[in-house]
């Protein structure tokens, strides 16, 4: 079965994914930052006893690490960009469904982190995460205050315990002078935040950004969802308008960059992360304006490349650098050929 991000999604030319994170804590335990080994052991056992094994696989993070199957969790965007869920694995558990679109992490920053994700623009992920949360609430004694709502270690999550994140590819806005600054101001008007996928390193200046809800205290789930939907529609329209302006005003230059970028991705033997994402950004800019019919360049292909390059597991050491670039290039060529 394909992973969730390998499927097609709405507004996928701009929106790579939609994610809903719901956090909960269990009465009788300190927050994870204050828990001792005995409490972690008790927490993991308690949650494990109520997990629906007909729907979810996984278990103790120690077993996952020992099995060596950590790359899949990275690609599926479950273990975190830096694999943080796999740190101190004896104190964590991870459960996930068949296509990895739903996961439950135990013992990270909160006792329970329920994440649902889908390709493209799909706020329906909230219902999937909420359903899993309600199921656990029926089986566990969840920390809740009539005054404040769900209690969490982070004040920003206290209340609904809900966070919505859209991952967007906005190379045209990023390449437009003042584009990101204007967008950041617009996002702030909705009381949300926008930040680059990575502030430094090879993923910096990739044109990939995260747009996320900020706080939940005093704000209902419906208000968070409504603001997010209006905001992502604004961002999508703005990015498409910028692409049209760049593609039509600089058609010859864009056509050349488009062909060069495709050639690099399709035929290169070695590929760095920066090279891959830079090339994909040019394909995004001009893809809808190319009338040559010479290139096989579907949105799903571009999104799969972007997701895999952004979330791939990093291997340290000079001896692995060339091997990693070679494998990355091979994988990109297969995607552009339409080979799963």
């Amino acid at each position: 079965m394909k992973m969730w991000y390998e499927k097609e999604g709405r507004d996928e030319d701009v929106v790579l994914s939609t994610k809903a994170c719901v956090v909960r804590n269990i009465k009788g335990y300190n927050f994870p930052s204050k828990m001792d080994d005995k409490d972690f052991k008790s927490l993991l056992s308690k949650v494990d006893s109520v997990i629906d094994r007909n729907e979810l696989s996984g278990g103790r993070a120690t077993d996952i690490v020992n099995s060596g199957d950590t790359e899949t969790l990275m690609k599926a965007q479950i273990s975190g960009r830096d694999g943080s869920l796999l740190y101190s694995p004896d104190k964590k558990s991870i459960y996930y469904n068949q296509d990895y679109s739903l996961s439950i992490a135990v013992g990270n920053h909160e006792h329970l982190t329920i994440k649902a994700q889908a390709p493209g623009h799909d706020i329906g992920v909230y219902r999937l995460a909420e359903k899993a949360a309600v199921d656990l609430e029926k089986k566990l004694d969840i920390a809740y205050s009539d005054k404040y709502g769900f209690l969490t270690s982070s004040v920003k999550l206290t209340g609904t315990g809900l966070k919505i994140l859209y991952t967007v590819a906005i190379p045209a806005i990023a390449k437009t002078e003042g584009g990101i600054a204007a967008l950041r101001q617009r996002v702030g008007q909705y009381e949300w935040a926008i930040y680059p996928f990575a502030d430094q390193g090879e993923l910096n200046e990739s044109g990939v950004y995260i747009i996320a809800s900020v706080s939940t205290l005093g704000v209902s789930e419906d208000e968070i969802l409504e603001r997010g939907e209006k905001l992502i529609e604004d961002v999508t329209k703005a990015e498409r308008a910028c692409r049209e302006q760049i593609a039509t005003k600089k058609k010859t230059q864009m056509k050349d960059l488009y062909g060069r970028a495709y050639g690099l991705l399709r035929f290169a033997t070695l590929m760095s992360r920066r090279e891959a994402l830079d090339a994909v950004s040019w394909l995004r800019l001009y893809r809808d304006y190319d009338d040559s019919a010479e290139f096989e360049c579907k949105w799903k292909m571009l999104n799969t490349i972007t997701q895999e390059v952004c979330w791939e597991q990093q291997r340290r050491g000079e001896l692995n650098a060339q091997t990693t670039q070679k494998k990355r290039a091979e994988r990109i060529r297969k995607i552009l050929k339409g080979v799963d």
Side-chain angles (χ1 to χ4, degrees):
M1 173 179 283
K2 291 183 178 180
M3 290 190 190
W4 65 268
Y5 71 82
E6 296 176 301
K7 303 172 184 178
E8 295 181 351
R10 174 186 166 202
D11 295 329
E12 61 185 353
D13 58 319
V14 176
V15 187
L16 298 179
S17 67
T18 308
K19 303 178 186 181
C21 292
V22 176
V23 299
R24 297 290 185 262
N25 289 287
I26 302 172
K27 289 182 181 178
Y29 294 94
N30 289 322
F31 292 127
S33 61
K34 298 295 184 180
M35 288 172 62
D36 57 27
D37 292 346
K38 182 179 178 181
D39 284 340
F40 272 113
K41 184 176 181 179
S42 173
L43 173 67
L44 298 183
S45 295
K46 181 182 286 291
V47 176
D48 189 72
S49 68
V50 302
I51 291 294
D52 184 353
R53 290 294 181 173
N54 293 320
E55 298 291 334
L56 301 173
S57 302
R60 300 295 175 92
T62 301
D63 295 334
I64 295 172
V65 171
N66 290 338
S67 72
D69 188 25
T70 57
E71 186 170 358
T72 300
L73 294 182
M74 288 289 292
K75 283 186 176 182
Q77 305 176 28
I78 289 176
S79 62
R81 275 185 286 175
D82 55 358
S84 59
L85 272 181
L86 301 175
Y87 298 159
S88 301
D90 56 317
K91 298 178 181 180
K92 295 168 185 170
S93 293
I94 307 171
Y95 305 92
Y96 44 86
N97 65 354
Q98 194 172 13
D99 69 350
Y100 298 89
S101 61
L102 175 69
S103 64
I104 299 172
V106 187
N108 199 27
H109 300 297
E110 311 293 339
H111 295 156
L112 300 167
T113 302
I114 301 126
K115 181 191 293 183
Q117 35 194 4
H121 175 192
D122 184 0
I123 200 59
V125 294
Y126 164 69
R127 302 301 172 191
L128 181 60
E130 180 68 7
K131 182 178 181 298
V134 169
D135 181 59
L136 290 171
E137 289 165 16
K138 293 176 181 177
K139 302 172 182 177
L140 299 167
D141 193 6
I142 299 297
Y144 182 83
S145 164
D146 289 336
K147 182 176 181 180
Y148 297 110
F150 292 102
L151 302 179
T152 65
S153 64
S154 170
V155 175
K156 290 184 177 180
L157 291 172
T158 298
T160 64
L162 170 66
K163 189 168 187 176
I164 302 294
L165 304 98
Y166 297 99
T167 303
V168 295
I170 50 175
I173 293 177
K175 294 178 188 300
T176 299
E177 185 176 356
I180 293 299
L183 181 58
R184 185 170 283 115
Q185 183 177 17
R186 180 62 170 164
V187 170
Q189 293 175 350
Y190 284 90
E191 298 182 347
W192 279 47
I194 180 171
Y195 47 89
F197 185 86
D199 292 317
Q200 56 188 357
E202 284 191 289
L203 301 182
N204 186 29
E205 299 182 358
S206 64
V208 178
Y209 284 77
I210 308 295
I211 297 176
S213 56
V214 176
S215 61
T216 68
L217 187 60
V219 183
S220 70
E221 289 93 337
D222 288 342
E223 288 175 312
I224 294 172
L225 299 177
E226 184 178 353
R227 290 178 188 177
E229 286 294 271
K230 289 181 179 178
L231 174 56
I232 204 63
E233 288 175 3
D234 284 354
V235 173
T236 301
K237 290 178 181 178
E239 171 62 17
R240 288 171 179 165
C242 285
R243 290 182 190 180
E244 182 177 11
Q245 184 176 36
I246 293 173
T248 54
K249 286 190 174 183
K250 302 179 179 180
K251 186 173 180 64
T252 301
Q253 180 184 1
M254 286 303 306
K255 187 174 182 179
D256 179 66
L257 289 168
Y258 182 78
R260 289 173 182 270
Y262 184 86
L264 178 66
L265 293 170
R266 182 66 179 77
F267 298 107
T269 302
L270 299 175
M271 182 74 64
S272 71
R273 299 175 92 189
R274 183 182 294 276
E275 285 177 318
L277 293 176
D278 186 56
V280 169
S281 72
W282 291 115
L283 295 185
R284 287 187 188 281
L285 275 169
Y286 197 67
R287 189 263 183 196
D288 281 344
Y289 302 93
D290 173 45
D291 55 7
S292 67
E294 294 181 52
F295 308 112
E296 180 68 15
C297 192
K298 298 178 180 178
W299 286 119
K300 186 175 72 170
M301 293 175 174
L302 299 184
N303 291 345
T304 299
I305 292 172
T306 304
Q307 300 274 25
E308 291 197 5
V309 171
C310 284
W311 291 89
E312 69 185 34
Q313 185 175 10
Q314 291 301 286
R315 298 173 176 81
R316 297 183 181 182
E318 289 296 327
L319 293 177
N320 290 328
Q322 184 168 309
T323 299
T324 299
Q325 289 198 14
K326 183 177 180 180
K327 289 183 176 179
R328 185 183 297 121
E330 289 174 350
R331 175 58 180 155
I332 290 172
R333 289 199 304 271
K334 285 184 177 180
I335 292 171
L336 288 179
K337 287 180 183 178
V339 179
D340 292 327

